[in-house]
């Protein structure tokens, strides 16, 4: 009789199971309509996040409060949310027409409305990924708030530590803090958080705003106060999902409006019958790649094109950017700021109106005066909703459909890299959906060889599409990288884009079955390296060269020209 083996699960398997539990739990809570994150109903979500221990949340499973992760999350949540006991996730329900002022987080496009002292409404118009994102962020800050509570609550009667009393006095006063008062408050807060004075001082200003330079103290105070009230007064923080959000989610309502606006604009400008190339990118790289070197040829004389792009990318370079945009609008560019709720702006380039001698592509020989549709970055599952709707035929009337002549779809974006560093380039050969194993191989028109020789490392191979950047887990990513999957990086939209492109081209036949696809990403972080996760800060100018190098290679293929 063979011996029964004691099978133990690896950390990668545990992490994979935790992600699956997160995914299922969030959908269950959404269908339920409400839950209390730190109550019984939020227990599974908390446990799954603590089991997963995402890199971005740092020391979430330890007693000390995580500072870098807290800053990353706070920048993606509306100002004042830490003060609110009731957080209501809503659809676009007309608040933009009210007296409520929209609060937009600095690092995440979503409209939020402070209803009263206790309630914050957060608009969800970008699909399920937006819900995964905000719920994991909220779960993280609530877990951190209870760490604060554990360090300040001395007994069950409600007696609190002296450090907490001093912090409360500082936060509730209205006058501006002098340097000595600020340092005293930081000293007390360091004790509360289990962090050193130097650690807090190093990150303190990152939380501040022009109106509230000492916002860090306020955030810690309100998080701790909320946790104290949950324990001492049973005033549990509650997250609700509005009935209209629950009814609308998954029906492509915002994506359909967005796509129809684009098609209507194409029709109004007699562009519907032209060859169409779709590019998912930011709102400056395509425009600047075509026009900026010519527009600023005198200002940056004898400077390489990449120097021009770096200057345009600097904060405060509004004048030089505006000149390029004004020139582009006179030479075939149509700007479509979003009005659908998707938060995806669009630019349409009519190449028939481009004077190629007044561009960076003087040798361009595009076939059939193509139209380029540049769409801003989608967010997670929203990529499927938007591209799926855009690739559908335009319904000109009840009985007349107009099929679009889509020749290519190009995706350029940021991604986490698993071998290399910030600013490196990744060329995927397939996308794998994390947690399901669903996979989408494709023929990429871009190759690593095309981008090599520019002093930027280039990697090629499969990439994994993750539920959210906030759920990056070192063990699971290491498994994907080192196993036969051979994954080179991770991002949030690739599988969803490819799913929509494949269904439109191979099954529904709404576009050319031989549509060309191009995918390329530049590395925003390396989650396998300590100190190189997204929470470690932005790319600065490191991302400028890879962004424009990828953009130029995409445009070279569309314009049938060799530029570099």
């Amino acid at each position: 009789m063979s011996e029964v083996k004691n099978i133990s699960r690896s950390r990668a398997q545990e992490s994979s199971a935790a992600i699956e539990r997160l995914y299922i739990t969030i959908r269950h809570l959404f269908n339920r309509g409400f839950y209390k994150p730190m109550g019984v109903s939020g227990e599974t979500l908390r446990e799954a996040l603590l089991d997963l221990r995402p890199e971005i949340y740092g020391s979430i499973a330890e007693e000390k409060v995580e500072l870098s992760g807290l800053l990353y999350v706070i920048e993606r949540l509306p100002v004042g949310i830490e003060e609110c006991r009731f957080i209501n996730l809503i659809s676009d329900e007309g608040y933009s027409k009210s007296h409520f002022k929209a609060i937009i987080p600095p690092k995440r496009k979503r409209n939020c409305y402070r209803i009263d002292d206790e309630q914050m409404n957060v608009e969800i118009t970008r699909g399920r990924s937006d819900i995964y994102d905000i719920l994991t962020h909220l779960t993280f800050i609530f877990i951190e708030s209870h760490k604060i509570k554990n360090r300040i609550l001395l007994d069950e009667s409600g007696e609190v530590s002296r450090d907490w009393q001093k912090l409360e006095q500082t936060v509730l006063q209205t006058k501006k803090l002098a340097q000595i008062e600020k340092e005293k408050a930081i000293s007390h807060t360091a004790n509360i958080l289990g962090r050193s004075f130097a650690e807090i001082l190093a990150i303190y200003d990152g939380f501040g705003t022009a109106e509230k330079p000492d916002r860090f103290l306020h955030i810690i105070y309100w998080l701790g106060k909320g946790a104290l009230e949950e324990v001492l007064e049973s005033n549990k923080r509650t997250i609700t999902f509005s009935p209209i959000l629950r009814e609308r989610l998954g029906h492509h309502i915002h994506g359909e409006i967005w796509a129809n606006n684009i098609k209507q604009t194409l029709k109004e400008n007699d562009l519907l019958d032209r060859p169409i190339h779709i590019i998912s990118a930011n709102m400056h790289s395509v425009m600047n790649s075509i026009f900026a070197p010519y527009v600023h040829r005198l200002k940056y004389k004898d400077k390489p094109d990449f120097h021009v792009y770096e200057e345009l990318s600097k904060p405060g370079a509004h004048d030089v950017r505006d000149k390029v945009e004004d020139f582009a609008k006179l030479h075939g560019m149509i700007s479509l700021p979003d009005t659908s709720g998707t938060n995806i702006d669009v630019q349409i380039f009519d190449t028939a109106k481009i004077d190629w001698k007044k561009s960076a592509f003087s040798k361009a020989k595009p076939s059939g005066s193509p139209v380029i549709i540049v769409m801003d970055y989608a967010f997670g599952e929203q990529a499927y909703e938007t591209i799926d709707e855009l690739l559908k035929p335009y319904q000109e009337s009840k009985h007349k459909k107009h099929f679009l002549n889509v020749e290519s779809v190009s995706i350029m974006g940021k991604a986490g890299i698993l071998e290399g560093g910030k600013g490196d380039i990744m060329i995927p050969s397939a996308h794998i959906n994390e947690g399901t194993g669903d996979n989408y191989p494709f023929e990429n028109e871009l190759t690593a060889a095309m981008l090599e020789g520019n002093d930027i490392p280039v990697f090629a191979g499969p990439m994994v599409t993750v539920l959210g950047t906030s759920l990056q887990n070192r063990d699971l990513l290491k498994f994907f990288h080192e196993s036969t999957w051979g994954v080179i990086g991770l991002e949030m939209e690739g599988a969803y884009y490819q799913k929509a492109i494949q269904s439109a081209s191979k099954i529904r036949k709404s576009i050319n079955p031989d549509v060309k696809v191009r995918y390329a990403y530049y590395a925003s972080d390396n989650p396998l390296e300590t100190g190189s996760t997204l929470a470690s800060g932005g790319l600065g100018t490191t991302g400028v060269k890879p962004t424009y190098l990828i953009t130029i290679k995409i445009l070279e293929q569309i314009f049938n020209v060799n530029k570099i």
Side-chain angles (χ1 to χ4, degrees), residues 185-389:
I186 290 175
S187 177
H188 293 301
T189 307
N191 288 338
I192 291 168
L193 303 183
R195 292 286 187 171
S196 71
F197 182 89
E199 284 178 303
I200 293 178
L201 202 59
I203 205 164
Y204 191 90
D205 290 338
F207 287 85
T209 62
E211 299 79 27
K212 274 192 174 181
D214 302 303
R215 187 174 170 229
F216 176 78
L217 301 176
H218 289 256
I219 289 168
I220 299 303
Y221 171 73
W222 284 102
L223 287 178
K225 188 173 188 291
L228 281 176
E229 289 180 357
E230 284 190 316
V231 172
L232 299 176
E233 301 170 30
S234 293
N235 288 336
K236 299 285 187 189
R237 286 169 286 197
T238 304
I239 294 174
T240 55
F241 306 90
S242 80
I244 294 175
L245 175 65
R246 292 163 69 202
E247 180 186 303
R248 286 179 178 175
L249 196 74
H251 293 292
H252 292 199
I253 289 168
H254 300 288
E256 184 179 5
I257 297 168
W258 175 84
N260 285 340
N261 287 344
I262 296 169
K263 293 168 192 172
Q264 184 64 35
T265 303
L266 293 175
K267 179 179 169 60
E268 289 167 0
N269 290 274
D270 296 321
L271 302 174
L272 265 180
D273 295 312
R274 299 260 204 93
I276 291 171
H277 298 268
I278 299 165
I279 303 176
S280 172
N282 51 56
M283 286 291 97
H284 54 78
S285 58
V286 171
M287 177 180 71
N288 288 345
S289 294
I290 298 172
F291 297 113
Y294 176 82
V295 171
H296 292 298
R297 65 195 181 283
L298 297 177
K299 184 177 177 66
Y300 301 110
K301 193 177 181 183
D302 301 326
K303 297 286 185 183
D305 288 356
F306 286 112
H307 175 81
V308 180
Y309 303 141
E310 273 198 19
E311 291 299 311
L312 288 164
S313 301
K314 288 180 178 176
H318 304 295
D319 290 344
V320 286
R321 285 198 291 264
D322 290 346
K323 280 184 182 176
V324 179
E325 187 172 353
D326 292 342
F327 186 85
K329 286 177 178 176
L330 294 172
H331 292 80
M333 187 183 88
I334 302 165
S335 183
L336 285 180
D338 181 61
T339 56
S340 67
T342 60
N343 280 307
I344 299 176
D345 296 334
V346 169
Q347 294 164 336
I348 298 172
F349 292 84
D350 177 1
T351 62
K353 292 182 178 178
I354 296 176
D355 182 345
W356 295 109
K357 291 185 177 61
K358 295 180 179 179
S359 78
F361 296 86
S362 57
K363 296 179 181 177
K365 296 175 184 175
S367 174
S369 297
V371 173
I372 300 173
I373 298 172
V374 180
M375 57 180 283
D376 208 345
Y377 298 123
F379 188 72
E381 286 189 35
Q382 188 191 33
Y384 177 77
E385 174 179 340
T386 49
I387 289 291
D388 184 57
E389 291 296 331

Side-chain angles (χ1 to χ4, degrees), residues 460-513:
M463 292 183 71
V464 64
T465 299
V466 298
L467 274 181
T469 52
S470 58
L471 299 179
Q472 292 176 1
N473 169 271
R474 186 185 300 263
D475 300 292
L476 189 55
L477 295 177
K478 203 172 177 184
F479 163 75
F480 270 121
H481 179 53
E482 295 179 358
S483 70
T484 51
W485 283 110
V487 164
I488 60 168
L490 61 146
E491 47 73 56
M492 280 184 64
E493 293 82 26
Y496 301 116
Y497 279 126
Q498 191 58 26
K499 182 166 68 169
I501 295 165
Q502 281 185 196
S503 64
S505 60
K506 308 295 184 190
I507 301 171
R508 302 165 101 169
K509 311 292 186 187
S510 57
I511 62 168
N512 183 350

